[in-house]
Amino acid sequence: MDLSPTRQNLRDQEAHERIQDERPTKKARLEDGERTDNMIQPRKTTKQKQKLSKRALQKILHHEPGTPGDVLWHEINELLGRNIVDDAIVAGRDLEASVQFGDILELDVVEISSTGDSLSILPAPHPPWVVATPFSLPGERIRVKIVRNGRMLSHADLLGIVQSNQALRDDSRVKCRYFGECSGCQYQMLDYATQLDFKRHVIQKAYRFYSNLSAEMIPSPSPTIASPLQYGYRTKITPHFDEPPKGKARSAWIPWIGFDSKGRRRVLDIEECPIATSTLNQALGPIRKEVQEQIDNYKRGATLLMRDSLATIPQQDGDETHVCIRDHKAIVRERVGTTLFEFPANSFFQNNNSVLVPLTDYVREAALSVPADGKTKQPTHLIDTYSGCGLFALRLVDSFDRVVGIEISEESIRYATHNVKLNGIPEDKCEFRAGQAERIFEVVQDFPPKETAIVIDPPRKGCDDKFIEQLLSFGAATIVYVSCNVHTQARDVGKIVSGGRDYTVESIRGFDLFPQTAHVESVREFPSVSSLEA
């Protein structure tokens, strides 16, 4: 598979920010500490011919836990071997790439990263070094062009497939004309069952890298739950465009409106998105035209919000008309099973409605599960932390005597309370309370811990240590941890299990909220602790 001349010419026109492959200063390397245990110390470096900017150096050496760069660093260590990486750090070679920007070479793909890019190792006589390349698969031989260097890693563009893995790749499966350029999807050439298996492997690696638990304490992840829709599922998209040029160039400028190009600091012009709902795709063309006609009104670039919403609350089954909401302050309406939700367009709600019934049903089952010892009673109370507009609280309310959602955002509490009334749920059965981060569980002192299940669904950064301390102090019968970032989830689960409350990990299962992409949601259960990845 060769990339078309048009695409390649377009790529070659784009200037790349080049990170020079040289050692940082001794001071910067010592401040980094190399390893978290500070056991690996760099050797003294010689005077440098060129100097990395402080910002570029920080970007290479420091990653927040669970971010894509941090995940890649763990994968590099596992792929090359920690001893080899440590030796390179000590010798000051961890930033000394033997390939340069623009180099073209052929590589054999070893595995897929959790980010969706393929990972290859430079062949001899190159020193051990990893190359990450998008849109390629394990077992393939690929032709690549180096575009930037990092720490023990280079990033490359895919120029072509020299030898494909026909057991995995079928390019006739690709339904998007922008696939291979757009950064949104990674897996369209794969059979869907293979995508689900890849995501299960992501969860396995995350717990190996981040949980700090022994292998026997981590159950093997159950098969990933499929999304009922593999295309046309995404209920929110945010196309955007760059800042208009200044001067005479502005008069002839036509904005490209779309999503980020893979590996490029530019917008890819997008006229349709096959993973978005038909409602959003029908609205995209007129919205693009409107922006292009009114571009003189924009002084800067902008991001356009597009959300799929019910036009009105349906009065009967099947009585549904969908519209595209663009105003950040407008109300979006969604139905999950028989439960209705209204919330502001600028607030968070899961973007794949088709999988929310199986997801919430699974969380219900996990929250109600108890050891088969005949002594433990099922929980009668439910606390939904990070509750937002009430997805889990309202979907699970029929299975508990009392449900409370805890939120810091007053607006979220207001709409969650509205949704209780919208669904005809008695206020004494389900309510939402404002909690302060430093005393989050003080508002549920009327809930008996040994009869209570807790659902956690935090943002991508996961839970902070203060929250975990309060969670352990409360001592709920069961914890179900739902996460959009399995890596921070694994870190947090390790802290919960090691926190002295005798919680154990009962199950781990992934949910595919974003088919065709590398993203996976995860659910984990503890009694017991349960964990789900979404």
Side-chain angles (χ1 to χ4, degrees):
M1 181 186 79
D2 289 324
L3 301 185
S4 66
T6 301
R7 184 196 298 177
Q8 192 54 49
N9 290 342
L10 213 73
R11 286 184 180 277
D12 288 342
Q13 289 171 13
E14 199 64 27
H16 255 292
E17 177 187 10
R18 181 177 178 182
I19 298 177
Q20 301 296 333
D21 57 327
E22 58 178 325
R23 303 170 193 158
T25 64
K26 176 182 176 182
K27 178 181 178 182
R29 294 179 63 84
L30 287 170
E31 287 175 349
D32 178 50
E34 309 301 354
R35 295 269 187 212
T36 56
D37 54 15
N38 291 320
M39 295 300 294
I40 305 300
Q41 297 295 333
R43 72 171 188 179
K44 294 182 179 180
T45 57
T46 58
K47 185 176 180 180
Q48 304 181 21
K49 296 179 182 178
Q50 295 176 318
K51 195 171 184 178
L52 277 168
S53 70
K54 184 176 180 180
R55 183 178 179 183
L57 187 60
Q58 288 287 104
K59 187 176 180 181
I60 293 173
L61 294 179
H62 298 281
H63 301 287
E64 287 296 317
T67 59
D70 187 57
V71 174
L72 267 174
W73 180 245
H74 280 83
E75 292 177 325
I76 290 166
N77 274 267
E78 185 169 78
L79 191 59
L80 296 180
R82 181 158 180 170
N83 290 340
I84 288 176
V85 174
D86 287 348
D87 288 346
I89 292 172
V90 171
R93 297 192 304 269
D94 52 318
L95 294 176
E96 291 186 345
S98 61
V99 289
Q100 304 298 321
F101 173 82
D103 285 356
I104 295 174
L105 59 158
E106 290 188 5
L107 300 171
D108 295 315
V109 177
V110 178
E111 66 173 71
I112 286 285
S113 166
S114 298
T115 65
D117 289 346
S118 74
L119 300 179
S120 308
I121 300 175
L122 287 178
H126 294 280
W129 196 267
V130 174
V131 178
T133 310
F135 312 117
S136 45
L137 301 171
E140 293 188 327
R141 188 165 183 80
I142 56 177
R143 188 166 178 262
V144 307
K145 178 181 178 181
I146 302 297
V147 294
R148 71 179 186 274
N149 293 320
R151 192 182 196 192
M152 303 296 295
L153 171 76
S154 297
H155 292 270
D157 281 345
L158 177 66
L159 299 182
I161 306 293
V162 177
Q163 183 176 348
S164 69
N165 183 340
Q166 296 183 4
L168 294 178
R169 178 183 292 276
D170 183 350
D171 290 329
S172 69
R173 297 187 180 108
V174 176
K175 294 187 178 182
C176 180
R177 54 178 156 154
Y178 307 105
F179 184 72
E181 293 179 84
C182 178
S183 61
C185 293
Q186 297 80 43
Y187 289 164
Q188 288 193 25
M189 75 293 248
L190 289 172
D191 172 73
Y192 188 49
T194 302
Q195 294 185 35
L196 297 178
D197 192 53
F198 274 17
K199 295 182 183 194
R200 182 172 177 267
H201 185 55
V202 169
I203 297 172
Q204 287 178 317
K205 287 199 295 184
Y207 276 85
R208 190 164 68 243
F209 292 156
Y210 288 95
S211 72
N212 289 319
L213 298 175
S214 60
E216 58 269 17
M217 297 177 70
I218 307 171
S220 180
S222 302
T224 307
I225 297 295
S227 170
L229 296 177
Q230 286 92 58
Y231 284 92
Y233 64 82
R234 192 174 178 105
T235 56
K236 174 187 173 184
I237 59 174
T238 52
H240 50 275
F241 58 91
D242 291 331
E243 181 178 357
K246 294 179 174 59
K248 294 181 179 180
R250 184 184 177 102
S251 60
W253 183 70
I254 299 176
W256 282 13
I257 305 170
F259 308 119
D260 291 339
S261 298
K262 179 62 178 177
R264 293 293 185 275
R265 293 184 174 183
R266 66 174 172 87
V267 175
L268 184 67
D269 202 38
I270 299 286
E271 295 180 345
E272 63 176 354
C273 177
I275 66 172
T277 65
S278 59
T279 297
L280 298 185
N281 274 302
Q282 289 166 13
L284 182 57
I287 290 173
R288 285 167 47 86
K289 183 179 179 181
E290 175 188 311
V291 171
Q292 289 168 348
E293 290 175 349
Q294 300 178 6
I295 194 62
D296 288 341
N297 296 333
Y298 291 89
K299 304 301 181 184
R300 301 178 181 178
T303 296
L304 310 173
L305 174 66
M306 298 176 63
R307 295 200 83 141
D308 190 320
S309 171
L310 295 172
T312 59
I313 296 297
Q315 300 302 311
Q316 57 187 15
D317 291 344
D319 182 23
E320 294 185 357
T321 301
H322 287 251
V323 295
C324 174
I325 298 293
R326 296 177 57 190
D327 183 350
H328 287 242
K329 297 181 181 180
I331 301 302
V332 174
R333 301 177 181 90
E334 289 211 30
R335 180 174 61 82
V336 180
T338 59
T339 310
L340 296 168
F341 296 89
E342 291 187 336
F343 51 90
N346 62 357
S347 63
F348 174 79
F349 198 82
Q350 296 286 4
N351 294 334
N352 181 351
N353 183 281
S354 76
V355 78
L356 294 186
V357 169
L359 173 63
T360 53
D361 284 350
Y362 187 89
V363 171
R364 181 200 317 275
E365 180 184 340
L368 292 170
S369 67
V370 295
D373 56 11
K375 301 177 182 178
T376 308
K377 296 180 180 179
Q378 277 193 335
T380 56
H381 293 59
L382 176 71
I383 299 173
D384 179 11
T385 62
Y386 305 94
S387 57
C389 69
L391 174 62
F392 291 109
L394 271 64
R395 284 287 297 159
L396 275 60
V397 67
D398 289 343
S399 299
F400 295 87
D401 294 343
R402 291 188 66 194
V403 174
V404 164
I406 305 178
E407 250 297 340
I408 296 175
S409 165
E410 292 183 2
E411 182 180 60
S412 294
I413 292 173
R414 187 165 61 251
Y415 277 93
T417 302
H418 165 76
N419 290 330
V420 171
K421 297 177 182 177
L422 182 65
N423 288 278
I425 300 169
E427 293 183 20
D428 60 352
K429 184 176 177 65
C430 182
E431 61 179 305
F432 291 85
R433 302 174 182 176
Q436 295 179 332
E438 65 274 13
R439 298 189 302 274
I440 198 75
F441 289 100
E442 283 190 6
V443 298
V444 286
Q445 291 300 306
D446 54 328
F447 271 41
K450 294 306 179 184
E451 299 173 26
T452 299
I454 294 180
V455 174
I456 308 170
D457 185 14
R460 293 193 62 82
K461 66 179 181 180
C463 305
D464 61 27
D465 288 342
K466 189 65 177 177
F467 177 89
I468 293 176
E469 288 174 12
Q470 296 175 77
L471 177 71
L472 292 170
S473 178
F474 184 84
T478 296
I479 302 169
V480 183
Y481 192 142
V482 184
S483 175
C484 60
N485 185 341
V486 65
H487 305 96
T488 53
Q489 182 197 57
R491 176 203 65 198
D492 294 346
V493 166
K495 293 177 181 179
I496 293 170
V497 171
S498 304
R501 274 284 185 173
D502 294 328
Y503 285 118
T504 59
V505 181
E506 289 291 308
S507 64
I508 314 171
R509 187 185 285 275
F511 277 76
D512 191 15
L513 266 68
F514 296 97
Q516 317 309 327
T517 78
H519 181 83
V520 61
E521 192 97 354
S522 172
V523 182
R524 177 137 246 165
E525 176 191 351
F526 312 71
S528 253
V529 177
S530 292
S531 165
L532 297 175
E533 283 301 327

